[in-house]
């Protein structure tokens, strides 16, 4: 029944869970391509901005980690802003995001973005409906068009997770000491408002899914497949070539000469493993 419902909504058919070995092999191949992309972006001075949005537990953090774990953090720069300060609340809404936009040779990844206004701020009552409408119908489309016209390659991804899978993941955070920090009081409040978030998502797509900056949706119930699909899509959206480079050969080390190892009491850490 769930598969028929997904097909009726135009969603991709659910596939068998991807095995870890197959996932790691494909991820390694994609990492090589991401390094090539990194070098091309630096070589050509491209400016790339990637937004990741989705419900709590949709897999944004894991996707960003998979995307960035083998590239330079000075080129692939991740921006995850905390809640605004009182000063930032008094500023123009987009003001706190603008300083983080990419310069030449940079790929900036927003782990949640200015679309907080269309999602959590709207649902949780942190802004008025008038402010949300202004953002959706005027601010976001106009600013994004200006970004694109300035030469920024803007990619927007929405990770779509099912109710059942979100519940499973959030319950897992409760008992996992490695993930408990991911479960905030705000996450718990948000969890109870699934359909309010659905309405907010629908309104966001209707207003901001533009030709110059379209939303691309990734079904993320299978985290491994979602990560591979998103990375593959990113690579297709930014035309790149392998930058020619000379063959790398390590030079000879210098001779020891009169150097002698010091008789110094280094404070080595305990070897517990």
């Amino acid at each position: 029944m769930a598969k028929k419902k997904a097909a009726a909504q135009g969603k991709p058919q659910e596939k068998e869970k991807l095995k870890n070995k197959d996932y790691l092999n494909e991820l390694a191949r994609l990492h090589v391509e991401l390094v090539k992309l990194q070098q091309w972006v630096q070589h050509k001075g491209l400016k790339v901005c990637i937004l990741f949005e989705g419900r709590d537990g949709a897999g944004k953090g894991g996707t960003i980690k998979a995307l960035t774990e083998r590239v330079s953090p000075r080129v692939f720069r991740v921006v995850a802003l905390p809640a605004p300060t009182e000063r930032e609340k008094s500023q123009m809404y987009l003001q706190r995001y603008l300083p983080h936009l990419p310069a030449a040779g940079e790929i900036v990844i927003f782990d949640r973005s200015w679309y907080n206004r269309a999602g959590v701020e709207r649902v949780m009552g942190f802004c008025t409906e008038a402010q949300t409408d202004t953002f959706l119908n005027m601010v976001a489309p106009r600013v994004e068009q200006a970004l694109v016209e300035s030469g920024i390659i803007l990619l927007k991804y929405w990770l779509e997770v099912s109710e059942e899978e979100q519940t499973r993941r959030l319950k897992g955070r409760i008992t996992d000491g490695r993930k408990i920090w991911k479960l905030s009081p705000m996450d718990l409040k948000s969890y109870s408002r699934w359909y309010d978030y659905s309405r907010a998502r629908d309104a966001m797509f209707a207003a901001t899914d533009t030709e110059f900056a379209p939303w691309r949706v990734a079904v993320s119930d299978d985290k491994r497949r979602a990560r591979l699909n998103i990375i593959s899509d990113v690579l297709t959206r930014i035309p790149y070539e392998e930058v020619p480079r000379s063959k790398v050969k390590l030079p000879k080390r210098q001779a020891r000469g009169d150097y002698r190892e010091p008789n110094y009491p280094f404070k080595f850490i305990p070897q517990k493993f």
Side-chain angles (χ1 to χ4, degrees):
M1 184 67 182
K3 290 185 178 180
K4 289 183 179 179
K5 184 178 179 182
Q9 294 175 342
K11 294 181 181 178
Q13 290 292 312
E14 184 178 339
K15 297 181 179 179
E16 184 181 348
K17 292 285 185 179
L18 191 63
K19 295 180 180 178
N20 192 51
K21 181 180 178 180
D22 295 334
Y23 165 70
L24 292 176
N25 287 339
E26 185 61 22
L27 185 61
R29 185 189 69 80
L30 292 174
H31 281 158
V32 173
E33 295 304 313
L34 285 170
V35 170
K36 294 178 184 178
L37 173 63
Q38 170 182 280
Q39 294 174 323
W40 184 254
V41 166
Q42 290 181 289
H43 178 66
K44 288 294 186 179
L46 300 181
K47 297 177 290 184
V48 181
C49 184
I50 307 175
L51 313 185
F52 283 100
E53 295 289 345
R55 302 175 194 268
D56 296 321
K60 297 179 294 297
T63 298
I64 292 171
K65 183 178 179 180
L67 183 62
T68 59
E69 63 183 342
R70 294 293 183 175
V71 291
S72 170
R74 291 182 292 275
V75 179
F76 281 75
R77 188 157 51 84
V78 178
V79 177
L81 297 182
T85 64
E86 289 303 314
R87 180 176 183 276
E88 289 171 331
K89 289 178 183 178
S90 71
Q91 295 175 338
M92 180 182 71
Y93 176 68
L94 280 176
Q95 191 169 339
R96 67 194 296 250
Y97 296 98
L98 297 180
H100 300 283
L101 292 174
E106 292 182 344
I107 299 174
V108 172
I109 299 170
F110 280 92
D111 183 354
R112 294 200 182 277
S113 65
W114 45 86
Y115 281 101
N116 272 337
R117 172 132 298 181
V120 63
E121 289 193 10
R122 181 178 204 173
V123 173
M124 303 308 294
F126 297 148
C127 65
T128 66
E129 283 298 310
Q131 288 174 320
T132 302
D133 290 342
T134 299
F135 169 79
L136 288 176
N137 298 310
M138 296 179 63
V139 177
R142 291 183 182 181
V143 169
E144 289 175 8
Q145 186 168 20
L147 296 182
V148 172
E149 290 178 352
S150 75
I152 291 177
I153 298 172
L154 179 61
L155 304 177
K156 303 188 306 192
Y157 290 98
W158 174 271
L159 277 67
E160 183 70 17
V161 66
S162 67
E163 292 182 72
E164 297 77 16
E165 182 61 17
Q166 186 197 48
T167 297
R168 189 190 69 80
R169 292 177 186 177
L170 295 185
K171 281 184 176 180
R173 293 178 182 180
I174 297 174
T175 56
D176 191 333
R178 302 165 299 173
K179 299 179 181 179
I180 190 63
W181 63 272
K182 293 184 176 184
L183 197 60
S184 69
M186 185 61 62
D187 295 332
L188 297 177
K189 291 180 181 178
S190 298
Y191 175 79
S192 66
R193 301 186 180 183
W194 176 271
Y195 290 106
D196 286 342
Y197 272 97
S198 294
R199 295 184 186 96
R201 176 203 60 196
D202 296 346
M204 181 188 77
F205 270 60
T208 63
D209 186 19
T210 58
E211 288 188 11
F212 53 83
W215 280 102
R216 295 183 169 88
V217 180
V219 176
S220 63
D221 278 11
D222 185 332
K223 290 182 179 180
R224 294 169 183 167
R225 289 190 186 278
R227 293 167 188 171
L228 297 180
N229 288 331
I230 290 172
I231 295 173
S232 298
D233 194 79
V234 167
L235 290 168
T236 66
R237 303 294 172 186
I238 310 170
Y240 68 98
E241 299 175 18
E242 188 169 0
V243 177
R245 57 190 178 95
S246 56
K247 187 176 181 180
V248 178
K249 184 179 180 181
L250 292 176
K252 291 182 64 176
R253 291 192 191 275
Q254 66 183 143
R256 176 190 288 270
D258 61 355
Y259 177 78
R260 296 293 180 270
E261 293 289 343
N263 185 22
Y264 184 81
F266 292 107
K267 299 177 180 65
F268 292 104
I269 65 170
Q271 295 193 25
K272 296 182 178 179
F273 305 99

